[in-house]
């Protein structure tokens, strides 16, 4: 803490002698560690003092019910023990040099813009809207470092604020975060805190995912069974949903928000400039509703609120009565949420039940629908028409493109950016939320050392690097990209603490990626500001992840062995490493520096902020081979060093990612190894992954061929078989062979079997590594 105690001893003694409750004044020094980085900021000389002499005056902003000072006043009172008076025009008594003046500027293009001038003689805030004023106050709040301080209502505090000139506005209009309260119910207080943090980082949309297979969380008065039945599940799957054996916790879980609570959260968000976009999922992800009202399904049921994760085949059946139900639900939703947008889901809706349903097939004939995808579009269009008639627009996940897009729909692109590109090219508005950068349920650091997550690896830097505008769009199309949001799905996030751990600090990186102009984005500057923000997050009681100083080991296979570089977001951190933990002979290195490992064995490392970790290096003869593949690996999982990843002496971990693994999808492929000269080979060990829950299967067969000339190949080994889940080795033994070329012919699972996750889709094949001995 950097308080400057300016307690004058005499004053203090005088205070004691007069037995007055006159406490010492803490002088708090502010800084310019603002996040997101303002669009324009020029530090100036001098300081402004905020203390008991300070007063405020604000122009009126006709037509708004949003008090842009309320949050600031609340925080200020809590931290300082006094209030800055807001003095009506004409009642000025104080000295103008202690004034914070808020002026309404003419309305401009961007309603969120603001100007904040901190001069030694006063502060002037200029903005066209209360939203702009609110953001100016958040910036001032950050500059004051007020949130870094403990609450001390009894004591006076006084602030020294550096002079600065800020002209700021956001790059994107839609800056959002999503929260899934269905997989795990989150209490109202936490939802409010989540919104509070969004607003602090100038995000303006909260996507509240309210209905799911595993629980319905919004009170709908017309349908009481949604509260009695759909809001509760009897138990919950334990561990990752690909784990075996399957285990359940035996504990009933659930809850829902009353309409009164929802109104309160909507009001709370509005006082922070945050619009809440409710999501009511249809036609899929609705098993909880079907458990309450089975007549909405194509088959009779009964159904049970889901207790495990994934995609379920029982979905809403497009009966007239289903539309009536959904319209009734949406009527109550619209009454609660003033948002111009209602999210209607639309993702991951299997068509199995519709294919089997005589009703659906007849409806398709009647409506001239050629496929079940078109039936889904019919479904979404009807709902869109209803919502449009009430003055609202729909947002849907990118699957709503599949059978033809509803006329006015906004597309939320989650399966990469492609859906968003297609929608923008068709003239539709888009919100980007690709898994690659925006799924905060992914790991943020090495999975082996993290609490359980769904998979993936989305580091702070990756989030920061996000640009929602794809290169393939022209200027006109790019204007349709409203912005982006991160999604926090909570299958593996049972508590508010873990939700904060997954969301922060990545949400701040996203906030900056969406607010700050690309020319001003600078990851190094961001990280330094973020280090300063951790004390603000501490002060706000946020249980963020500690990865600023925890290293991610990056490896590179080189001629002499394996190069390791440890990276932390915060530069120049000390990492301790040892080849042997028994001797405790730790050497140290700074992050960013390279260490070479030339012999096989383990490398252990740690920091003051992390436990001991291990890199197991086992190079083999494949190290000297040139590897080629036909076709090359899938672009999503090309291997961190391309095909070299397959021979870098490191075996892929069960938590798959595109760094450690190379992957192919659905079609046969060939891997060729050329050793450059005749080489004696006794065995090959091929590392493969089996994770059916993630659509990853071992190959159906692998054939090993050898050749001395690269023309004539002979089969030397063959594998076909079953495999346990997880990372497994396929071992081929053929002692005494002499070859220059080895060819692996790999047949993957072409189509995932019915009843399995991803049924009907091409299976993934993940490989790492190819060890040759
Ligand atoms: C999604 O992640 N299923 C939108």
């Amino acid at each position: 803490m950097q308080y400057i105690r300016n307690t004058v001893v005499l004053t203090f003694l005088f205070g004691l002698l007069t037995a007055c409750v006159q406490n010492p004044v803490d002088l708090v020094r502010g800084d310019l560690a603002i996040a997101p980085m303002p669009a324009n900021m020029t530090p100036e000389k001098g300081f402004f003092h905020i203390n008991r002499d300070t007063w405020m005056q604000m122009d009126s902003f006709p037509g708004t019910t949003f008090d842009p000072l309320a949050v600031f006043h609340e925080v200020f009172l809590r931290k300082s023990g006094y209030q800055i008076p807001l003095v009506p025009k004409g009642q000025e008594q104080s000295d103008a040099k202690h004034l914070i003046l808020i002026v309404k500027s003419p309305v401009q293009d961007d309603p969120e813009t603001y100007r904040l001038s901190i001069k030694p003689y006063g502060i002037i805030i200029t903005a066209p809207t209360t939203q702009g004023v609110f953001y100016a106050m958040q910036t001032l709040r950050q500059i004051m470092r007020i949130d870094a301080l403990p609450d001390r209502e009894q004591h006076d505090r006084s602030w020294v604020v550096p002079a600065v000139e800020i002209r700021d506005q956001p790059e994107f209009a839609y800056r959002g975060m999503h929260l899934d309260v269905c997989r795990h119910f989150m209490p109202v207080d936490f939802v409010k805190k989540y919104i509070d943090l969004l607003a602090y980082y100038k995000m303006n949309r909260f996507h509240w995912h309210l209905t799911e297979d595993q629980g319905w969380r919004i009170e709908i008065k017309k349908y009481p069974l949604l509260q009695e039945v759909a809001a509760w599940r009897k138990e919950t799957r334990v561990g990752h949903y690909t784990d075996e054996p399957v285990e359940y916790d035996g504990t009933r879980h659930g809850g829902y928000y009353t309409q009164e609570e929802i109104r309160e959260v909507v009001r709370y968000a509005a006082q922070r400039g945050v619009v809440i976009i409710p999501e009511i999922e249809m036609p899929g992800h609705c098993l909880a509703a079907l458990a309450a009202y089975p007549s909405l399904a194509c088959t009779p049921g009964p159904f049970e609120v889901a207790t495990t994760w994934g995609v379920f085949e029982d979905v809403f059946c497009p009966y007239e009565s289903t539309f009536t139900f959904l319209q009734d639900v949406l009527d109550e939703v619209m009454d609660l949420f003033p948002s111009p947008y209602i999210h209607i889901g639309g993702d991951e809706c299997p068509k199995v039940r519709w294919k089997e349903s005589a009703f659906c097939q007849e409806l398709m004939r009647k409506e001239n629908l050629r496929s079940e995808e078109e039936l889904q579009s019919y479904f979404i269009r009807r709902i869109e028409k209803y919502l449009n008639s009430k003055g609202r627009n729909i947002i849907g996940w990118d699957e709503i493109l599949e059978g033809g897009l509803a006329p006015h729909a906004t597309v939320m692109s989650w399966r990469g950016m492609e859906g968003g590109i297609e929608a923008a090219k068709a003239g539709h508005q888009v919100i980007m939320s690709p898994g690659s950068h925006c799924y905060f349920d992914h790991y943020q650091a090495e999975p082996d050392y993290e609490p359980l997550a769904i998979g993936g690896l989305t580091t702070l830097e990756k989030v920061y690097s996000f640009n929602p505008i794809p290169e393939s769009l022209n200027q006109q199309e790019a204007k349709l990209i409203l912005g982006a949001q991160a999604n926090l799905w909570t299958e593996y996030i049972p508590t508010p603490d873990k939700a904060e751990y997954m969301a922060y600090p990545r949400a701040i990186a996203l906030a900056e990626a969406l607010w700050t102009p690309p020319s001003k984005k600078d990851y190094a500057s961001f990280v330094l500001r973020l280090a300063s923000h951790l004390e603000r997050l501490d002060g706000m009681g946020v249980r963020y992840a500690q990865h600023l100083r925890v290293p991610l080991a990056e490896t590179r296979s080189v001629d002499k062995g394996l190069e390791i570089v440890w990276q932390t977001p915060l530069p120049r951190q000390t990492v301790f490493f040892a080849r042997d933990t028994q001797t405790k002979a730790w050497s140290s290195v700074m992050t960013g520096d390279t260490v070479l490992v030339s012999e096989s064995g383990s490398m252990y490392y740690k920091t003051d902020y992390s436990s001991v970790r291990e890199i197991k290096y086992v190079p083999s003869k494949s190290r000297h081979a040139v590897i080629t593949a036909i076709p090359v690996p899938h672009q999503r999982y090309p291997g961190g060093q391309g095909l070299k990843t397959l021979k870098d002496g490191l075996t892929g971990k069960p938590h798959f990612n595109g760094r450690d693994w190379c992957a192919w999808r659905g079609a046969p492929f060939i891997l060729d190894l050329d050793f450059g000269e005749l080489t004696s080979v006794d065995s090959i060990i091929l590392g493969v992954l089996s994770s059916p829950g993630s659509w990853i299967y071992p190959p159906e067969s692998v054939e090993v061929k050898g050749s001395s000339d690269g023309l004539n190949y002979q089969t030397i080994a063959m594998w076909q078989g079953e495999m346990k889940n997880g990372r497994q080795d396929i071992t081929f033994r053929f002692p005494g062979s002499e070859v220059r070329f080895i060819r692996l012919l790999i047949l993957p699972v072409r189509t995932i079997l019915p009843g399995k996750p991803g049924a009907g889709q091409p299976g993934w094949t993940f490989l790492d590594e190819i060890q040759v001995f």
Side-chain angles (χ1 to χ4, degrees):
M1 292 291 173
Q2 309 166 350
Y3 315 160
I4 299 171
R5 308 236 167 229
N6 83 333
T7 314
V8 178
V9 175
L10 275 178
T11 316
F12 185 59
L13 282 178
F14 179 76
L16 284 179
L17 287 172
T18 55
C20 194
V21 196
Q22 184 77 48
N23 289 302
V25 175
D26 275 349
L27 208 59
V28 182
R29 192 170 287 271
D31 65 33
L32 293 176
I34 302 162
M37 184 67 165
N40 298 282
M41 177 164 89
T42 312
E44 296 183 349
K45 283 211 169 72
F47 299 90
F48 179 73
H49 291 256
I50 296 177
N51 53 35
R52 278 201 179 265
D53 294 330
T54 308
W55 56 291
M56 285 179 161
Q57 199 156 63
M58 181 163 75
D59 279 355
S60 73
F61 285 78
T64 180
T65 54
F66 172 20
D67 175 2
L69 305 182
V71 171
F72 181 86
H73 281 316
E74 186 271 314
V75 174
F76 190 89
L77 177 63
R78 189 154 41 81
K79 300 292 183 179
S80 70
Y82 60 97
Q83 190 62 278
I84 301 177
L86 182 65
V87 178
K89 289 260 168 70
Q91 295 181 22
E92 299 84 353
Q93 291 164 358
S94 311
D95 186 338
K97 74 175 194 284
H98 298 297
L99 176 61
I100 300 175
L101 180 63
I102 299 164
V103 179
K104 182 179 184 317
S105 60
V107 175
Q108 300 165 11
D109 283 353
D110 190 337
E112 295 184 302
T113 186
Y114 71 91
R115 181 173 164 189
L116 171 63
S117 303
I118 303 179
K119 307 285 182 193
Y121 49 82
I123 294 180
I124 302 178
I125 288 166
T126 319
T129 63
T130 43
Q131 186 91 5
V133 175
F134 179 80
Y135 288 143
M137 296 313 292
Q138 300 319 298
T139 298
L140 180 59
R141 187 176 154 192
Q142 290 195 1
I143 293 174
M144 291 168 72
R145 290 179 46 253
I146 190 165
D147 299 281
L149 310 177
D151 294 355
R152 282 176 59 185
E153 298 192 10
Q154 304 307 313
H155 289 204
D156 271 13
R157 279 199 177 111
S158 165
W159 273 265
V160 181
V161 185
V164 67
E165 182 67 32
I166 291 172
R167 286 165 187 269
D168 204 3
Q169 80 264 331
E171 188 68 11
F172 290 97
Y174 188 115
R175 305 177 304 280
M177 287 281 289
H178 149 289
L179 182 65
D180 166 12
V181 293
C182 303
R183 270 56 178 263
H184 284 99
F185 182 68
M186 299 285 164
V188 169
D189 281 350
F190 174 67
V191 174
K192 284 182 167 178
K193 187 179 177 196
Y194 195 77
I195 292 169
D196 211 21
L197 281 169
L198 298 196
Y200 185 70
Y201 290 108
K202 302 191 178 77
M203 285 188 271
N204 60 4
R205 297 289 181 273
F206 172 52
H207 172 173
W208 204 356
H209 185 77
L210 288 163
T211 71
E212 257 303 338
D213 299 308
Q214 295 83 3
W216 182 285
R217 306 275 174 244
I218 172 173
E219 180 188 23
I220 300 295
K221 293 192 188 285
K222 192 157 187 182
Y223 295 100
L225 296 183
L226 292 174
Q227 287 71 253
E228 285 168 38
V229 175
W232 305 94
R233 62 175 179 258
K234 74 167 191 268
E235 58 187 355
T236 303
R237 180 85 183 250
V238 175
H240 199 267
Y241 83 139
T242 55
D243 287 352
E244 284 181 0
V246 176
E247 270 183 70
Y248 291 86
D249 65 3
T251 307
R252 182 171 139 95
H253 178 90
Y256 64 91
Y257 306 103
T258 64
Q259 295 204 348
E260 202 174 324
E261 287 171 326
I262 287 176
R263 281 186 211 285
E264 165 57 17
V265 175
V266 168
R267 187 204 62 77
Y268 187 89
Q271 286 307 311
R272 285 153 180 79
V274 174
V275 175
I276 303 186
I277 296 168
E279 181 180 355
I280 306 298
E281 269 270 16
M282 63 190 81
H285 284 295
C286 63
L287 197 51
L290 301 185
Y293 296 100
S295 66
L296 303 172
C298 291
T299 54
F303 306 101
E304 193 183 60
V305 179
T307 54
T308 186
W309 319 122
V311 172
F312 297 86
E313 289 178 349
D314 289 299
V315 302
F316 285 128
C317 210
Y319 305 127
E320 281 309 307
S321 55
T322 304
F323 288 107
T324 303
F325 167 83
L326 288 170
Q327 289 172 6
D328 289 343
V329 166
L330 290 169
D331 284 344
E332 294 193 31
V333 168
M334 284 186 280
D335 189 47
L336 292 169
F337 294 95
S339 164
Y341 292 100
I342 308 289
H343 201 304
I344 50 74
D347 61 318
E348 298 181 319
C349 176
K351 308 296 188 294
V352 188
R353 296 289 181 263
W354 292 358
K355 281 192 167 84
E356 296 163 353
S357 150
F359 171 81
C360 290
Q361 296 305 313
E362 177 54 30
L363 179 62
M364 285 167 63
R365 262 192 298 280
K366 216 169 72 195
E367 296 289 336
N368 246 331
L369 305 170
R370 287 162 301 180
S371 64
E372 284 73 19
E373 282 66 33
E374 289 191 9
L375 180 54
Q376 161 141 342
S377 284
Y378 163 88
F379 197 116
I380 302 291
R381 283 194 174 120
R382 275 193 65 161
I383 294 293
E384 177 183 69
K385 199 163 165 201
Y386 185 72
L387 290 173
N388 287 170
S389 78
K390 307 281 177 187
R392 310 298 180 100
N393 279 303
I394 66 163
I395 301 176
W397 299 110
D398 56 62
E399 284 94 330
I400 65 169
L401 280 154
E402 283 170 2
L405 207 45
H408 310 291
T410 296
V411 170
M412 193 168 266
S413 190
W414 72 281
R415 297 176 302 174
M417 308 275 268
E418 292 75 18
I421 294 169
E422 187 185 333
K425 285 192 183 291
H428 286 255
Q429 294 186 327
V430 171
I431 297 150
M432 288 295 188
S433 195
S436 56
H437 295 78
C438 295
Y439 269 49
F440 289 0
D441 56 341
H442 286 180
Y443 286 103
Q444 54 194 313
E446 286 186 74
D448 291 342
Y449 309 106
E450 286 294 307
L452 179 66
I454 194 163
L457 180 63
T458 303
T459 61
L460 184 71
E461 185 165 13
K462 180 112 190 223
V463 176
Y464 191 82
S465 74
F466 184 50
N467 176 5
I469 307 282
E471 278 176 10
S472 57
L473 295 187
N474 67 31
Q475 242 176 359
Q476 213 51 36
E477 291 158 354
K479 286 204 182 99
L480 293 166
I481 311 294
L482 304 181
Q485 75 176 31
N487 298 332
L488 200 60
W489 302 105
T490 55
E491 287 95 331
Y492 306 103
I493 302 179
T495 62
D497 280 9
K498 192 164 176 191
E500 287 184 350
Y501 179 90
M502 298 305 280
Y504 285 86
R506 287 187 290 190
I508 308 174
L510 182 73
E512 184 148 317
L514 298 179
W515 180 281
T516 306
S519 63
K520 299 278 169 73
K521 271 175 70 184
D522 174 4
Y523 184 62
S525 142
F526 170 71
V527 163
L528 291 177
R529 280 177 285 121
L530 187 55
S532 165
H533 267 254
L534 297 187
E535 61 169 14
R536 293 167 176 81
L537 294 175
D538 285 333
M540 292 188 274
V542 180
R543 271 66 51 107
Y544 55 86
Q546 300 281 352
H547 298 113
L548 274 190
R549 297 184 176 87
V550 174
L552 192 64
E554 291 183 357
T555 53
R556 210 159 69 90
S557 171
V558 294
D559 285 347
K560 293 202 176 89
L562 186 73
E563 283 182 352
I564 304 173
V565 181
W566 286 281
Q567 300 288 4
T568 41
L570 206 56
R572 308 306 288 166
Q573 302 295 299
T574 305
V575 178
F576 302 96
F577 67 92
R579 296 286 289 179
D580 174 357
T581 49
Q582 297 305 313
T583 61
K584 302 226 166 27
W586 295 95
S587 309
S588 72
V589 69
M590 304 305 278
T591 52
D593 294 341
T594 304
V595 170
L596 177 74
V597 179
S598 50
E599 281 167 25
S600 105
S602 285
M603 169 67 107
Y604 300 92
Y605 64 97
K606 63 176 186 177
T607 66
D608 290 337
Y609 302 88
S610 56
S611 55
V612 177
R613 301 169 176 202
E614 181 184 8
I615 299 169
K616 218 182 249 171
Y617 178 52
V618 187
S620 76
K621 284 180 184 163
S622 62
R623 214 161 96 63
H624 307 294
V626 174
I627 302 186
T628 48
I630 306 169
V632 295
H634 194 279
Q635 60 183 14
R636 291 239 309 259
Y637 303 101
Q641 280 191 271
L643 291 170
K644 268 187 164 183
T645 308
L646 296 175
K647 55 168 199 163
D648 61 4
L650 305 168
T651 51
K653 306 269 175 55
H655 299 285
F656 62 95
N657 57 53
R659 223 164 42 118
D660 302 343
W661 294 88
C662 294
W664 286 261
R665 197 168 184 200
F669 60 98
I670 292 172
L671 285 166
D672 278 331
L673 284 73
D674 177 358
F675 294 94
E677 59 188 1
L678 274 184
T679 302
S680 69
V681 174
D682 296 326
S683 64
I684 293 180
I685 301 173
L686 180 64
V688 305
L689 193 62
S690 177
S691 181
S694 305
W695 310 7
I696 301 171
Y697 286 87
E700 285 193 343
S701 69
V702 181
E703 185 178 354
V704 183
K705 290 171 173 263
S707 169
S708 55
D709 58 8
L711 296 170
N712 301 298
Y713 281 88
Q714 284 187 331
T715 299
I716 51 180
M718 186 79 197
W719 180 88
Q720 261 178 318
E722 301 272 310
M723 195 165 274
K724 282 189 299 195
N725 282 354
R727 195 196 165 281
Q728 307 288 335
D729 286 330
I730 301 176
T731 304
F732 303 92
R733 287 182 214 284
F734 32 83
S737 303
E738 289 268 326
V739 290
R740 174 176 162 184
F741 300 93
I742 284 182
R743 171 167 289 177
L744 303 175
L745 289 165
I746 299 174
L747 290 187
V749 169
R750 282 174 191 266
T751 308
I752 297 172
L753 294 177
K756 306 273 183 202
Q761 299 286 331
W764 287 94
T765 307
F766 273 61
L767 300 185
D768 192 65
E769 119 152 349
I770 306 173
Q771 293 174 296
V772 179
F773 298 101

